[in-house]
Amino acid sequence: MAMTDEKQSLLDHIEELRKTLLKILIGLVVGVVVAAFFVKPILKFLATPIGGLEKLHAIEVTESVGVYMRIALLAGLLLALPWIFYQLFRFVGKGLTEKERKTILIAVPFATLMFLGGVTFAYFIMLPASLDFLIGILGINTMIRVKSYFSFLTNLLFWIGISFEMPLIVYVLARFGLLKAKVMLKGWRVAIVVIAIFAAVITPTSDPVNMAIFMIPLFVLYLLSIGLAAIAEKQRVKTKAATTTEV
């Protein structure tokens, strides 16, 4: 009987996950459709660091279409972020109390702002430094393909935005008892090594200046994550104590 109940519970979770992913996909599609009407001004804005769209060149016939779709997808993702985070947190909070659900829902605007903060940091700080290094390293005239530039740019914006979600991810894991602040604090040396490896993979150049530009804020985010983990642990203890008292 217990085995049947567990199987039924697992199937319910899988079905709920399927519905959540479907809602996320629908929200993303709506975001992309809306963003598609604004791709041209977005392209002009994103091409500003390189000197404008007139500085870029297309070689393949389908190159411009590919870039158009890539920008529409990234812009659509940014538009759909609040909806995506809401659905994810709603799914995660299924087993929580009403008070805990409200606390997690507060994280929706926070998660959105953190991602946008990462994108802003990448565009205004990392991108100019990276372009100066990549284009000026040999001191020769460089003809930049539109596909190459926007692939490089969107990858940079997306992954830096994702990395800025670290504090929130740590908070959620700590809230469920899967991560401890003390463990993170003791492992700060390991964290530096991991951050350095991540920076080497994500940053478009391998020079130490660009890596440091990324590593410093990421390590600050790691320290912030430790503080949030400690807060989450205290909240978890209070919730357990309140539950025990009620019983």
Side-chain angles (χ1 to χ4, degrees), residues 94-109:
K94 285 289 182 182
L96 302 179
T97 63
E98 188 65 30
K99 186 177 180 180
E100 288 174 327
R101 286 197 201 101
K102 289 179 180 178
T103 302
I104 285 189
L105 288 177
I106 294 173
V108 172

Side-chain angles (χ1 to χ4, degrees), residues 73-88:
L73 182 60
L74 179 63
L77 173 65
L78 293 177
L79 286 175
L81 269 183
W83 172 254
I84 293 172
F85 285 132
Y86 171 74
Q87 292 300 327
L88 288 174

Side-chain angles (χ1 to χ4, degrees), residues 21 35 74 130 139 194 213 233:
L21 293 177
L74 179 63
S130 299
V194 173
I213 289 174
E233 287 175 32

